[in-house]
């Protein structure tokens, strides 16, 4: 079965750029989706189809996907961005999730 | 706008079954697959399966085969997920999530199921 791998944690200082990688075999051939989840809340879509931002998501969120790695980038990270981030792809109509990355802003 | 409203928290004994509902509004229920995802305490997201609300056809993750049943009632735009043979490690938040036009997932608020004797 297809697998997506994320680092368990990433730390960033306020105002700096955070990069969260997600790796998988030939991941660049698939669309990647990124979700943010804060404690006690449902996941919220922040990037879809590799690079697109839903309405209401700040411009500081961006995405890329090539080769075996997709990356979520948060520019000018704010304290409110502290959350768990999950990458997701479709494999034979199955939703495959990365293990999640806890972003700490300190 | 698209809304998915799930049923409330449940406490079940080991071996029992739980049925979680997901009432939808704001879109054509039969047009998009409904997926179910489990999240154990402090853990990540785990795909359980999906249902085609139009045909009723289902696909389940191998891990849940034989224990999970997904159904729907098109007259009230509601999807259901039943998990049987509950174990302590089934304690989790269960989410319904519909696929949008862009193939992204739109999530319900989640339903906490606690398995406790």
């Amino acid at each position: 079965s297809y697998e997506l791998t994320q680092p368990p944690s990433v730390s960033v200082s306020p105002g700096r750029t955070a990069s969260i990688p997600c790796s998988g075999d030939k991941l660049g051939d698939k669309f990647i989706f990124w979700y943010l989840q804060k404690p006690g809340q449902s996941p919220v879509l922040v990037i879809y189809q590799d690079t697109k931002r839903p309405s209401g998501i700040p411009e500081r969120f961006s995405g890329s996907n090539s080769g075996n790695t997709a990356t979520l980038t948060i520019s000018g990270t704010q304290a409110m961005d502290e959350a768990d981030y999950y990458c997701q792809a479709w494999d034979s109509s199955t939703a495959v999730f990365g293990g999640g990355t806890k972003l700490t802003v300190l | 706008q698209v809304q998915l409203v799930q049923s409330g928290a449940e406490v079940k004994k080991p071996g029992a079954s739980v049925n979680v509902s997901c009432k939808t509004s704001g879109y054509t229920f039969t047009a998009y697959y409904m997926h179910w995802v489990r999240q154990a305490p402090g853990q990540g997201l785990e795909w359980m399966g999906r249902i085609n609300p139009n045909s009723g056809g289902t696909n389940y993750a191998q891990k849940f085969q034989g224990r999970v049943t997904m159904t729907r009632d098109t007259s009230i735009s509601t999807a259901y997920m039943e998990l049987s043979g509950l174990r302590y490690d089934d304690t989790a938040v269960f989410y319904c999530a519909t696929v949008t036009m862009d193939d992204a997932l739109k999530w319900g608020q989640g339903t906490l199921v606690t398995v406790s004797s």
Side-chain angles (χ1 to χ4, degrees):
Chain A
S1 60
Y2 196 76
E3 294 184 357
L4 294 174
T5 302
Q6 298 180 239
S9 62
V10 168
S11 297
V12 64
S13 300
R16 307 292 284 186
T17 296
S19 295
I20 300 175
C22 171
S23 63
D25 185 50
K26 297 179 182 178
L27 184 55
D29 293 343
K30 302 178 183 293
F31 276 137
I32 200 77
F33 302 81
W34 289 94
Y35 300 89
L36 165 164
Q37 186 181 35
K38 295 187 177 181
Q41 298 183 16
S42 304
V44 173
L45 181 71
V46 293
I47 293 290
Y48 67 99
Q49 294 181 357
D50 296 342
T51 60
K52 300 175 182 177
R53 264 182 302 103
S55 60
I57 299 301
E59 290 185 10
R60 62 180 182 274
F61 288 87
S62 63
S64 64
N65 184 16
S66 178
N68 294 323
T69 304
T71 302
L72 174 69
T73 302
I74 310 171
S75 305
T77 307
Q78 301 183 9
M80 69 172 64
D81 300 330
E82 190 163 282
D84 294 326
Y85 290 83
Y86 294 91
C87 59
Q88 179 252 318
W90 295 104
D91 182 62
S92 301
S93 302
T94 297
V96 179
F97 296 96
T101 298
K102 181 175 182 58
L103 178 67
T104 302
V105 182
L106 42 67
Chain B
Q1 74 278 24
V2 175
Q3 285 196 312
L4 284 68
V5 179
Q6 298 183 225
S7 48
E10 304 257 17
V11 179
K12 295 292 184 180
K13 294 189 183 303
S17 297
V18 68
N19 197 318
V20 180
S21 67
C22 175
K23 182 167 180 57
T24 72
S25 61
Y27 74 104
T28 302
F29 175 67
T30 52
Y32 300 97
Y33 279 86
M34 184 67 75
H35 297 254
W36 290 88
V37 176
R38 184 174 80 170
Q39 186 172 37
Q43 301 301 308
L45 303 169
E46 181 176 32
W47 185 79
M48 299 179 69
R50 68 172 189 169
I51 182 168
N52 180 335
N54 188 42
S55 67
T58 54
N59 302 99
Y60 301 137
Q62 189 171 5
K63 178 175 183 176
F64 297 99
Q65 285 274 4
R67 285 210 304 145
V68 70
T69 304
M70 296 176 187
T71 58
R72 90 291 188 221
D73 185 337
T74 57
S75 68
I76 55 172
S77 300
T78 299
Y80 303 91
M81 187 281 298
E82 181 179 30
L83 188 63
S84 62
L86 289 170
R87 305 185 289 250
Y88 292 113
D89 63 1
D90 286 318
T91 292
V93 175
F94 292 83
Y95 293 99
C96 61
T98 190
V99 181
T100 69
M101 290 173 53
D102 300 311
D103 285 340
L105 291 167
K106 169 69 174 177
W107 303 72
Q109 86 275 19
T111 297
L112 174 63
V113 176
T114 302
V115 183
S116 172
S117 56

